[in-house]
Amino acid sequence: MPRRALAALVVAVASALAPVRRRALFGGAAAAAAPALAPAPSWAADLAPAAKLKKGFDGIDYLLNNWDKETIKSCPTGQVTLKDECDMDANKVPAVLGLKSTDAPLFKIERSFKAVLLGGDVDDIDAWTAATEAFVQHATSAQEYAYTASFGEYNPSGGKDQVAKYMDLSKEELGLARDAL
């Protein structure tokens, strides 16, 4: 390869890899198109913080009241089966806790807690702090148990009975989280 062609190639590669100024990237047409490319706000963002908490509470309450209907995917047919022999869906717990979608009412729940507190709707700060800390603790435990349940069948000493055990533990913690909310 001749020296001039090699030098031109090196210059072209170096200029392609050179740092680009942000203003150059977002100037002109790109800046005009930026609002059109922005994601649409979710409906949950439009709700007041107290309304988000209420909607989240209702979602947790619905899941707990319809636990078997919502979490059992399938059971063996043709015989009498125990709940421990059924396939269970552990993804319902993180979904109701706002960990699967940004549209969920409990997504980034700490922001809603802070907004309600700063809004002046809290009479007893100590009770509020205890309740929010209890909710976060139990919601985290419920999600951890559900996560463990999702892999319970694949562990060396696991099986469907281990999945059912961790789903029951998740249900208990979810109930405590609902009570704290």
Side-chain angles (χ1 to χ4, degrees):
M1 183 175 233
R3 282 185 170 225
R4 285 191 166 187
L6 182 60
L9 180 64
V10 168
V11 169
V13 170
S15 64
L17 297 176
V20 179
R21 290 185 168 175
R22 283 183 273 168
R23 289 183 185 168
L25 284 176
F26 292 109
L37 298 175
S42 67
W43 64 268
D46 296 337
L47 292 176
K52 283 175 139 181
L53 295 176
K54 173 69 173 125
K55 195 162 186 70
F57 175 86
D58 292 342
I60 292 173
D61 197 44
Y62 174 80
L63 180 60
L64 289 172
N65 291 333
N66 300 293
W67 184 259
D68 290 339
K69 183 177 105 178
E70 291 293 321
T71 59
I72 294 178
K73 289 193 273 187
S74 64
C75 289
T77 58
Q79 62 186 12
V80 176
T81 59
L82 299 173
K83 187 173 86 170
D84 294 354
E85 298 170 354
C86 299
D87 291 326
M88 299 186 84
D89 184 11
N91 289 325
K92 298 289 184 171
V93 174
V96 78
L97 291 173
L99 301 172
K100 290 283 186 183
S101 170
T102 58
D103 289 337
L106 295 181
F107 176 69
K108 293 192 176 182
I109 189 66
E110 292 83 6
R111 289 184 181 177
S112 295
F113 287 154
K114 183 178 178 182
V116 169
L117 181 64
L118 294 176
D121 296 333
V122 177
D123 296 330
D124 185 3
I125 188 74
D126 294 330
W128 174 258
T129 303
T132 56
E133 287 176 357
F135 173 80
V136 170
Q137 175 189 354
H138 294 300
T140 302
S141 295
Q143 199 282 330
E144 288 172 354
Y145 285 133
Y147 180 80
T148 303
S150 66
F151 295 103
E153 203 169 344
Y154 307 109
N155 289 334
S157 62
K160 291 185 180 185
D161 59 332
Q162 290 296 313
V163 172
K165 171 186 152 187
Y166 283 107
M167 287 299 287
D168 287 341
L169 290 170
S170 180
K171 181 181 179 182
E172 290 173 17
E173 289 293 324
L174 196 59
L176 294 171
R178 176 200 55 195
D179 295 343
L181 192 61

